Amino acid sequence: MGVQHVLAMFGSTVLAPLMMGFDTNTALFFSGIGTIIFYIVTGGRVPSYVGSSFGFIGVVVSATGYNYTPSSGRNEHVDVAAGGILICGIVYGLIGVIVFFAGYNWIEYIMPPVVTGAVVMTIGIHLSTSAFQSATQTSFDGWMAFTTVMLISLVSIYAPGMLKRIPILIGMVIGYLIYFGVGYSGHGPAIDYTELYNTPWFAAPSFVKPRFEGNAISIIVPVCVVLLAENLGHIKAVGAMAEKPLDKYLARAILGDAVATIVSSAGGGPGTTTYSENIGVMAVTQIFSTLIFLVAAVIAIFLGFIQKFGAAIHTIPEGVFGGLSIILFALITVSGARIWVENEVDFKDSRNMLVAGVPVIIGAAMQTTLKWGNFQLDGIGLPTYSAILLYQILRGWDSIKSIFQRKKKRSMSIHSAQQHAV
């Protein structure tokens, strides 16, 4: 069972750090460490695997100027990105502390589904440009990207049993083998294995000390909004599937994820989040034991020490990688719309139309950063703040009045209860 969860998380856990220029072995190592931390903080009550978060890709790319290609190597500014992610983890942890003492209703007040849906959709749309560019460097890359997209799509619909739950991994492997076969036969570009040959089999993951820069921090910190939405959705989804409400563990889940992100970034790893991929495995097996995730965590930590494994990941051709990116960013985009649908957001309301539409358009069009001294906003941060502020500004008098009325009723009920006690 632990192996099944490793396979489910594998594609996303190694692709996210690749896109940001992080070391894949380090990411695997800290995904295992993070899962153990999450287990301890939640008291083993919330079944979840913690892996590399796609929410950080856009902001890390904006903060460091990194653009992945198979020959681009590591991101030279991983330390700057790690510093921003660490501060984001601290802010996220403080939100968890507030939720622990004040509950989570205030989250839905500040960030209702129309806001969180817009923020999540913006991430996918904003990153789509880089995915398309990666997939169309050459005509051969374009065909391989198309092949990879079709493979993943067909596997996710027609594959039997558990195979249907790991379409990204299967599509990546088959696409890679096709690319290798075409290159080996001389009908296409060959894959360069120089780095793989020169890499030792076993070695400790590479760790990087974080460096803190105001520009990077201001760009990366807004991602905590996305992490919050992901965690809240994860808790509700797993609770509904297990027929056991887990809302009371939300604060612990946020704190566990935050500590995992802080520990990972302190060693030069990417930010983490709870993985929806593993929900699919639980849906198939109907096994919700948290101990299984500890087994998966140990396997991931072991893989982190196999350096040739990480080097092999870096040989994924650009066309195949572009196809994977298109699929992943498409799923992120549609996840935002899914939040709207599942929460029955009323788009007959002009306020919701504006709050959903304006940030998404900003995120789609904005491929630069806005600077005010050391403070910067990119195509994810600006739409995030825009969605939150626009919703509060357009909340309307009736909504504001209802808030005060609820507070008044609550205070009156407390007062009457105190009188009754006397």
Side-chain angles (χ1 to χ4, degrees):
M1 283 302 302
V3 174
Q4 288 181 335
H5 282 287
V6 171
L7 291 174
M9 67 79 182
F10 178 81
S12 298
T13 296
V14 299
L15 287 176
L18 270 183
M19 294 176 182
M20 294 182 283
F22 282 77
D23 184 81
T24 49
N25 288 84
T26 305
L28 279 168
F29 174 80
F30 279 118
S31 74
I33 296 295
T35 299
I36 295 172
I37 291 172
F38 187 87
Y39 177 90
I40 294 171
V41 174
T42 59
R45 301 299 178 87
V46 181
S48 180
Y49 189 89
V50 175
S52 308
S53 173
F54 279 86
F56 286 99
I57 295 174
V59 292
V60 167
V61 169
S62 295
T64 62
Y66 180 78
N67 183 34
Y68 173 79
T69 64
S71 59
S72 60
R74 303 284 191 271
N75 189 337
E76 295 180 356
H77 303 292
V78 164
D79 54 347
V80 175
I85 293 170
L86 195 152
I87 298 299
C88 180
I90 292 173
V91 173
Y92 188 38
L94 292 175
I95 293 174
V97 172
I98 296 173
V99 171
F100 186 83
F101 289 105
Y104 65 89
N105 289 333
W106 64 273
I107 297 175
E108 296 182 352
Y109 170 76
I110 296 175
M111 296 180 297
V114 66
V115 171
T116 54
V119 172
V120 172
M121 180 176 283
T122 296
I123 292 174
I125 292 177
H126 179 72
L127 296 172
S128 62
T129 301
S130 63
F132 185 79
Q133 290 174 349
S134 178
T136 55
Q137 290 292 317
T138 65
S139 59
F140 182 71
D141 285 336
W143 279 110
M144 284 307 307
F146 173 76
T147 302
T148 305
V149 168
M150 290 307 300
L151 284 168
I152 295 172
S153 302
L154 291 171
V155 169
S156 65
I157 301 300
Y158 297 110
M162 269 299 301
L163 295 179
K164 186 182 291 187
R165 301 296 172 182
I166 51 173
I168 292 174
L169 177 60
I170 294 175
M172 178 174 66
V173 171
I174 298 176
Y176 187 101
L177 291 175
I178 293 173
Y179 196 108
F180 174 83
V182 173
Y184 187 79
S185 64
H187 294 88
I191 300 173
D192 184 6
Y193 290 107
T194 303
E195 181 185 355
L196 181 62
Y197 292 143
N198 295 332
T199 301
W201 271 100
F202 295 97
S206 60
F207 302 114
V208 177
K209 183 180 179 180
R211 183 156 59 96
F212 302 98
E213 289 189 1
N215 292 342
I217 292 171
S218 63
I219 291 174
I220 295 172
V221 165
V223 174
C224 65
V225 174
V226 179
L227 300 180
L228 192 60
E230 288 178 341
N231 226 321
L232 182 59
H234 182 86
I235 288 290
K236 290 185 178 296
V238 175
M241 193 184 305
E243 297 181 351
K244 181 182 178 182
L246 298 173
D247 291 359
K248 60 183 177 181
Y249 299 116
L250 177 61
R252 289 190 182 189
I254 293 172
L255 286 170
D257 190 14
V259 174
T261 294
I262 292 169
V263 171
S264 177
S265 57
T272 62
T273 188
T274 49
Y275 263 18
S276 60
E277 287 87 344
N278 297 88
I279 294 178
V281 177
M282 289 187 281
V284 172
T285 61
Q286 288 298 303
I287 297 176
F288 301 95
S289 171
T290 52
L291 292 174
I292 293 172
F293 291 97
L294 290 181
V295 176
V298 172
I299 295 173
I301 292 172
F302 175 73
L303 290 175
F305 285 87
I306 305 177
Q307 293 298 315
K308 278 198 181 294
F309 181 79
I313 297 299
H314 280 270
T315 64
I316 297 175
E318 193 143 14
V320 175
F321 189 81
L324 292 169
S325 301
I326 289 172
I327 285 285
L328 290 168
F329 297 153
L331 293 175
I332 292 172
T333 301
V334 176
S335 295
R338 179 176 163 183
I339 292 173
W340 293 336
V341 172
E342 290 181 346
N343 292 276
E344 300 179 348
V345 175
D346 181 14
F347 283 109
K348 293 179 182 177
D349 187 336
S350 298
R351 173 184 56 186
N352 290 337
M353 292 279 285
L354 291 167
V355 171
V358 171
V360 169
I361 293 300
I362 293 174
M366 185 177 175
Q367 298 298 324
T368 58
T369 58
L370 295 180
K371 301 179 181 180
W372 294 277
N374 288 328
F375 185 77
Q376 292 188 21
L377 287 175
D378 70 335
I380 293 175
L382 182 59
T384 298
Y385 290 127
S386 297
I388 294 172
L389 291 174
L390 195 58
Y391 181 82
Q392 299 303 323
I393 293 171
L394 302 179
R395 180 176 285 278
W397 289 113
D398 292 336
S399 178
I400 295 173
K401 288 178 181 178
S402 66
I403 294 170
F404 285 108
Q405 288 173 354
R406 284 199 300 269
K407 288 183 177 180
K408 186 176 181 181
K409 287 180 180 179
R410 191 180 298 115
S411 61
M412 289 177 63
S413 62
I414 294 172
H415 181 69
S416 62
Q418 291 174 343
Q419 285 185 331
H420 182 70
V422 173

